[in-house]
Amino acid sequence: VNLTSREFVIFNHLYRNPAVASTREELINQFDKDLDMTSRNIDVHIFSLRKKMGKIHISIETVWGTGYKIIL
């Protein structure tokens, strides 16, 4: 699966912490401070990741009130 650099950063964080829901803030903190990442940017990248990862049967679930977690 081909990922953009930002998608890879998000996927890598979720993959390394599969049992824990990651907040949008935790995902934003994975990027350099000079990048202007917002929670909306995270949502858009998660949407794209879900489409790409669905092809290989990896899903990213929304944990309401918390954030996102990966299901392998």
Side-chain angles (χ1 to χ4, degrees), residues 13 17 22 26 52-53 63:
H13 179 77
N17 303 289
S22 297
E26 289 172 336
K52 292 178 180 181
M53 293 297 129
V63 179

Side-chain angles (χ1 to χ4, degrees), residues 9-24:
V9 169
I10 293 168
F11 177 77
N12 189 47
H13 179 77
L14 294 173
Y15 186 79
R16 291 178 183 265
N17 303 289
V20 180
S22 297
T23 65
R24 287 178 180 90

Side-chain angles (χ1 to χ4, degrees), residues 39-51:
S39 60
R40 181 66 185 137
N41 292 129
I42 297 297
D43 293 343
V44 170
H45 290 303
I46 291 289
F47 177 80
S48 179
L49 275 170
R50 283 179 170 153
K51 287 172 49 176

Side-chain angles (χ1 to χ4, degrees), residues 1-3 7-8 11 15 48-60 70-72:
V1 175
N2 291 323
L3 301 178
E7 289 169 346
F8 180 78
F11 177 77
Y15 186 79
S48 179
L49 275 170
R50 283 179 170 153
K51 287 172 49 176
K52 292 178 180 181
M53 293 297 129
K55 296 175 184 175
I56 58 172
H57 307 292
I58 295 175
S59 64
I60 299 173
I70 198 166
I71 306 297
L72 301 172

